[in-house]
Amino acid sequence: MLEFRNYHPIVIFTYFILMVITTFMSMEPGILIISLVGAVILRCADNGVNINRSVLYYIILFLIITISNPIFSHNGETVLFYINNFAITRESILYGMSAAVMIIAVILWSMSLSDVMSMDKFLYLTGKVMPKLSLILCMSVRFIPFYKRHAREVSDVQKAAGIYSDMDIITRIKGRLRIYDSVLGWGIENSVETADSMKARGYGSGKYTPYVKYRFKKSDIAALIVIIMYCIVLAYFTVIGDLKFSYYPVIDGICLRSKKVIFYLAEFLFALFPLQINIRSGGKAWNYLK
Amino acid sequence: MKKRKIKNSIIAAILILILAVICIKCLRFESVSEYNNSDVNKGKIIGNVTLSVDCSTILSNYDNLDSKLKSKKYVPDNGIIFSEKKCELRKGDTAFDILQRNLKDKKIQMDYSGSRKSKNIYVKGINYIYEFSCGKLSGWMYKVNGEFTGNGCSEKKLADGDKIEFVYTCDLGRDVGNDREEGIGK
């Protein structure tokens, strides 16, 4: 568990949004790899190092995106070979790889965000300004995991009752469809009920007062200063155009002697910012080695 | 349980096999030298046409051009990528066939989308100059006998003596003399 969790919601939210923006802003491979490494380290620190099926899922995603780009894009000077008279170039494969790294990094950052930023924190941030929109957002964000959990419950019950457990494939598909049917009906009813009960309790009618009070502490101010500093660095490098990187028709070289190294360093330090907080706050290592 | 696993793996193996067969049947892999040496001159010669590829409009919009493409390698000094040349017209040739055959002959890069069979080929880029490379309204267009035909370059069959020009526009055709775009909105 990260110490970062206990920070003010604004700090957490801006930090993750900034990391996602940095990742989306440039196709520069160095920035993307640093972002990916940062996201992986953060998730490992938060959940413990466990290599399971999700790693396989990300590898498959990486391969699919990498392969699909050269199928549609034939730009680039270095032709490797031809398929059906279409050139497969090194540039388009590298572009596909960068896009894949970018997408995986953004997925990982968003997963960290949804882990650290629980829904009540999100409601705390946006509930005052736009109560209806934030309720819809909250419900739609929780939609898939919530339904997945419910579907598993239903299927467990069916299994325990001995229905559709070990039969041929068609009967099993029929069973799945029945579960899907019931979950869908339940889900629609449930969301209407949630909205009704929120309304009955007066949500959005007056001033929104959250259950948990988040106070803006000294450590929050320090973190905000770091975030603003990173913002300035990011804006500076965007304005002078150092983050631009193009792949076609010839891939840009990565010059390690230019000013870009400063940005790499800043990005790396910022990506590991939550871990640095953990180290500084008295080495509560047992917390996440548990 | 065990029986089901075996069944599943058999189904997966069959699917992979089908996929592999489709890949081998439909995809033709060629190395660069094989591609360059392969002969595309098939069909009976029925006449001559002239072809030219021109991107001189870029020269007056040079600021909008992708900074990567600002080189003589991509945009020649006079803007002519393929100077006007007499080429043989073979049976069933469209403007696209002429372009592809002659550019391949001279080893000039060309990229397109669509297929010859469904006659919807769109030329995306020639000599690494792509659509949108020089502003939002830029792209390749073509003329036959000095007129924009208004259909795709793989649609219309050519006649003997036709003059084909591929021109790059930076302003949706207005700067190369196409007044057809009034009709697009209708």
Side-chain angles (χ1 to χ4, degrees):
Chain A
M1 288 286 210
L2 287 172
E3 192 75 6
F4 195 52
R5 253 167 226 273
N6 304 328
Y7 275 62
H8 196 269
I10 286 183
V11 175
I12 298 172
F13 193 67
T14 40
Y15 169 79
F16 281 107
I17 289 299
L18 260 181
M19 264 339 276
V20 170
I21 287 175
T22 314
T23 318
F24 264 137
M25 209 132 87
S26 168
M27 278 302 270
E28 145 90 61
I31 293 171
L32 294 178
I33 288 169
I34 289 171
S35 170
L36 181 69
V37 168
V40 169
I41 290 175
L42 200 66
R43 274 200 79 66
C44 285
D46 204 10
N47 299 342
V49 186
N50 52 337
I51 296 162
N52 50 13
R53 268 187 132 174
S54 63
V55 177
L56 188 74
Y57 164 74
Y58 288 121
I59 290 171
I60 290 171
L61 187 68
F62 178 83
L63 286 179
I64 287 173
I65 298 170
T66 308
I67 292 168
S68 62
N69 189 55
I71 291 174
F72 297 108
S73 154
H74 311 290
N75 201 345
E77 273 199 358
T78 338
V79 178
L80 299 176
F81 54 90
Y82 287 86
I83 295 178
N84 288 2
N85 287 335
F86 280 113
I88 303 297
T89 62
R90 195 174 68 196
E91 284 82 8
S92 66
I93 291 174
L94 288 173
Y95 187 91
M97 279 168 135
S98 300
V101 169
M102 176 199 270
I103 287 169
I104 291 170
V106 168
I107 289 174
L108 289 176
W109 280 117
S110 314
M111 276 164 80
S112 288
L113 171 67
S114 67
D115 264 13
V116 175
M117 188 97 172
S118 53
M119 275 306 131
D120 61 315
K121 283 181 190 167
F122 188 74
L123 271 182
Y124 172 80
L125 265 190
T126 54
K128 276 177 203 163
V129 193
M130 32 184 191
K132 268 181 194 159
L133 185 67
S134 61
L135 179 65
I136 290 170
L137 267 175
C138 278
M139 281 170 74
S140 54
V141 164
R142 139 195 123 127
F143 179 78
I144 289 170
F146 191 51
Y147 279 32
K148 240 168 139 182
R149 214 180 312 134
H150 185 75
R152 188 162 302 145
E153 264 169 32
V154 175
S155 96
D156 280 351
V157 169
Q158 300 242 312
K159 217 178 253 170
I163 312 166
Y164 307 125
S165 59
D166 197 20
M167 305 218 191
D168 62 306
I169 199 156
I170 294 161
T171 327
R172 264 191 299 139
I173 288 172
K174 261 187 195 164
R176 281 287 147 85
L177 274 177
R178 241 171 68 106
I179 292 171
Y180 175 76
D181 189 33
S182 95
V183 168
L184 201 70
W186 170 85
I188 293 166
E189 206 181 304
N190 186 62
S191 60
V192 171
E193 257 169 27
T194 310
D196 270 355
S197 94
M198 292 292 269
K199 204 179 172 191
R201 289 182 172 100
Y203 179 78
S205 61
K207 203 181 151 207
Y208 179 72
T209 45
Y211 179 65
V212 192
K213 277 258 191 240
Y214 297 99
R215 234 176 280 132
F216 215 76
K217 288 169 282 189
K218 262 185 196 163
S219 54
D220 291 319
I221 296 170
L224 215 55
I225 288 170
V226 172
I227 286 171
I228 289 168
M229 268 160 60
Y230 178 74
C231 255
I232 292 167
V233 172
L234 185 66
Y236 172 71
F237 277 91
T238 315
V239 168
I240 64 167
D242 256 20
L243 302 187
K244 268 190 197 137
F245 194 85
S246 73
Y247 287 78
Y248 302 124
V250 196
I251 188 163
D252 283 341
I254 299 175
C255 181
L256 281 181
R257 250 171 290 171
S258 67
K259 262 188 273 176
K260 236 186 236 171
V261 180
I262 300 170
F263 186 77
Y264 287 155
L265 204 69
E267 194 200 351
F268 188 64
L269 288 177
F270 191 64
L272 297 182
F273 179 56
L275 281 186
Q276 290 162 21
I277 291 171
N278 252 33
I279 293 162
R280 203 158 301 154
S281 66
K284 288 177 187 162
W286 57 271
N287 245 339
Y288 58 87
L289 287 176
K290 218 163 31 174
Chain B
M1 277 306 263
K2 224 179 184 181
K3 238 184 189 172
R4 207 159 80 191
K5 259 188 182 167
I6 293 167
K7 224 180 183 177
N8 282 351
S9 57
I10 287 172
I11 291 171
I14 290 170
L15 278 179
I16 289 170
L17 206 72
I18 291 170
L19 210 71
V21 167
I22 290 171
C23 277
I24 293 167
K25 275 271 175 191
C26 299
L27 302 180
R28 188 159 39 83
F29 290 87
E30 279 175 311
S31 72
V32 178
S33 59
E34 268 171 4
Y35 175 78
N36 286 336
N37 294 332
S38 63
D39 195 24
V40 283
N41 297 327
K42 282 173 197 159
K44 208 171 76 183
I45 299 175
I46 54 167
N48 286 309
V49 289
T50 53
L51 171 75
S52 65
V53 179
D54 185 349
C55 67
S56 49
T57 52
I58 290 179
L59 298 173
S60 46
N61 296 294
Y62 211 65
D63 292 338
N64 289 341
L65 188 65
D66 250 5
S67 51
K68 276 293 240 343
L69 295 169
K70 282 179 180 167
S71 140
K72 272 176 199 162
K73 205 166 121 197
Y74 306 118
V75 184
D77 275 338
N78 54 1
I80 290 167
I81 291 171
F82 186 93
S83 50
E84 194 170 322
K85 192 189 150 198
K86 221 171 202 179
C87 329
E88 41 202 33
L89 176 72
R90 290 168 190 273
K91 211 180 164 192
D93 267 356
T94 59
F96 175 75
D97 293 317
I98 303 281
L99 179 79
Q100 192 185 31
R101 206 188 297 142
N102 287 287
L103 290 188
K104 192 187 164 187
D105 234 27
K106 278 208 166 184
K107 295 203 174 78
I108 298 172
Q109 185 258 4
M110 195 264 290
D111 187 4
Y112 62 93
S113 63
S115 79
R116 208 182 257 103
K117 255 183 209 159
S118 41
K119 296 183 178 175
N120 58 355
I121 285 178
Y122 168 63
V123 176
K124 283 198 284 189
I126 298 173
N127 200 24
Y128 306 109
I129 303 168
Y130 272 67
E131 48 175 346
F132 314 128
S133 282
C134 189
K136 279 176 188 167
L137 303 176
S138 60
W140 285 100
M141 301 182 87
Y142 86 108
K143 300 191 230 183
V144 176
N145 295 330
E147 268 180 51
F148 290 94
T149 58
N151 34 18
C153 59
S154 60
E155 249 177 287
K156 217 177 132 197
K157 296 224 162 62
L158 296 171
D160 188 18
D162 275 351
K163 189 179 161 200
I164 304 150
E165 293 163 84
F166 275 82
V167 287
Y168 193 78
T169 172
C170 300
D171 192 20
L172 215 64
R174 272 165 285 206
D175 54 349
V176 287
N178 181 19
D179 43 13
R180 271 179 178 275
E181 89 277 1
E182 265 89 44
I184 292 169
K186 276 178 195 167

